[in-house]
Every structure is written in structure tokens, then in C-alpha cells.
Amino acid sequence: MSITVVVADDQELVRGGFSMILDAQPDIDVVAEAGDGIEAVALVREHRPDVLLLDIRMPRMDGIEAARLVGKETKVLMLTTFDLDDYVYDALRAGASGFLLKDVRRDDLVNAVRVVAAGESLLAPSVTSRLIAEFTSRPAAASVSAERLAVLTTREQETLALIARGLSNAEIAVEMVVSEHTVKTHVSNVLTKLGLRDRVQAVIVAYETGLATAGH
């Protein structure tokens, strides 16, 4: 069964390029394209896609507001031109399941759509770095008590710290010298125990509680 996608970007060439790349994949079907946030929201509600590929900066309604409106209806994969985009943190808070730069390589774009559609979250390493910078530049942001992590086992806390570094399950398995199945169990336990929707929220909690810090 194909992964259905709506592509939303106000630049026609960019939008068309992403659509062409994705539509060429045997397991991905681009069902609609949108030129602004309002249109993106309408198309998501019409087509109910698995993934919304959404530009963060668009006319009439930006990607952050669009993500807030449809983030519970579809997986949102945000796109931006700059890794130092001021809206990265807001976009993640709005419900984005993934975040990529517009200069992403073809294979990485396709992989990102598949990863997000499968229920995992994805952050480009440069975006993870931006998220770290966001927290380290705002000491007041660490408002969540570290005691919240007491419900996690030592291995689960280690898993959370590695998630915060932007590592995939396979990469975490290598770091922890365990099977990928074990990592999936740890990740599931972390999300369940902390009441989190996905890995993106886990990254935020890791920095807010001080479990993850800049340079680690």
C-alpha cells in the first residue's frame, strides 16, 4: 500500500521538484500540492494523507500554524531553507514529526517520508544542533524537573539521551551494543512512561530536564 503525501510549498519549482522525486517511488503517491498554509490544511482534510511535506514559511498561513491545525490528522514533515531558522522550536512544539533542510539529498528526502510515515520521527543533525542551541541560549527554558525522568530505568534514560542526539534506532543499537528490537522496546517505554507522542517530544524533554546538554 502506497504512502500518500501532500506537498506544500509556495515556490512552484521547489514544490514540483519534491513531488516529482517522491512520486517516482513505487511506494509513495503524491495526492495533492499546496501553495500556502490554508490550502495545505484544506487538502489534508480532503485527502487524509499519511504525510504532509510542509514548508515552514508560506503566505496566508505559515507552516507552524498549519501544523498545529492538522498535526493530529497526519504526520508533518517540515522543510526550511536554513538550519538556523528561528521557528524550528515552534515547529516542533506545533506537532511536526520531522524536520529537513530544503537542500536535502534525494535519497534522504525519500527516506524521511518513509520513516515519518512508519511512525518514527526524524530530525536532520543540523536541526538537532539548532534545537540544542535554542535551549542553551535560554536558561529559563529548562523548566521541567529532572525528577520526571525518575520513572525511567538507567537504560531508558540512556536511550532518551541518544534520541536527543538525533540517532536512529539502528544507530542507538550500535551505541548501546544491543539489538534494534531492544532499542524499539526502550523507545516505546520512554514515550509511554513520559506520556510523549513521538521522538521529537522526547528530544524536547531531554533538553528541558537537563538529561541532554550541548556537546553531548
Side-chain angles (χ1 to χ4, degrees):
M1 190 172 180
S2 292
I3 299 167
T4 54
V5 180
V6 167
V7 178
D9 194 296
D10 62 325
Q11 295 179 308
E12 186 176 357
L13 288 178
V14 173
R15 186 171 71 240
F18 283 134
S19 294
M20 183 174 63
I21 291 170
L22 295 173
D23 228 10
Q25 307 306 311
D27 60 334
I28 299 176
D29 181 21
V30 177
V31 296
E33 296 181 18
D36 61 56
I38 291 177
E39 189 178 5
V41 170
L43 289 173
V44 164
R45 290 174 174 167
E46 176 184 352
H47 295 279
R48 303 291 178 182
D50 298 309
V51 177
L52 170 61
L53 190 62
L54 182 64
D55 186 11
I56 200 167
R57 296 183 178 183
M58 290 188 296
R60 296 211 295 166
M61 179 189 291
D62 65 24
I64 294 172
E65 183 59 27
R68 287 195 184 103
L69 292 174
V70 299
K72 293 182 179 180
E73 301 171 38
T74 185
K75 304 291 195 312
V76 178
L77 183 55
M78 303 293 294
L79 289 162
T80 185
T81 306
F82 306 105
D83 60 346
L84 296 181
D85 197 303
D86 291 336
Y87 301 111
V88 167
Y89 182 72
D90 289 339
L92 297 177
R93 280 293 197 189
S97 294
F99 214 109
L100 289 175
L101 304 183
K102 282 191 179 180
D103 63 358
V104 62
R105 295 185 308 169
R106 177 189 302 256
D107 290 348
D108 290 339
L109 171 66
V110 173
N111 178 65
V113 169
R114 289 172 178 153
V115 167
V116 169
E120 291 196 40
S121 298
L122 182 145
L123 289 173
S126 57
V127 173
T128 302
S129 298
R130 169 59 180 160
L131 190 60
I132 295 170
E134 186 76 18
F135 282 108
T136 56
S137 66
R138 295 190 201 173
S143 58
V144 180
S145 171
E147 293 176 3
R148 182 179 180 186
L149 302 180
V151 298
L152 303 180
T153 65
T154 300
R155 291 298 259 174
E156 288 165 356
Q157 289 193 30
E158 184 179 350
T159 300
L160 177 56
L162 293 172
I163 290 173
R165 283 170 46 189
L167 273 61
S168 66
N169 284 355
E171 291 167 334
I172 292 173
V174 172
E175 285 277 336
M176 296 178 67
V177 196
V178 296
S179 70
E180 193 169 344
H181 176 74
T182 297
V183 172
K184 288 181 179 179
T185 300
H186 287 331
V187 172
S188 177
N189 289 342
V190 168
L191 299 182
T192 300
K193 289 182 178 181
L194 297 180
L196 305 175
R197 183 191 63 239
D198 56 30
R199 296 166 82 100
V200 172
Q201 288 192 341
V203 171
I204 293 172
V205 167
Y207 284 99
E208 286 181 336
T209 58
L211 178 66
T213 57
H216 294 83

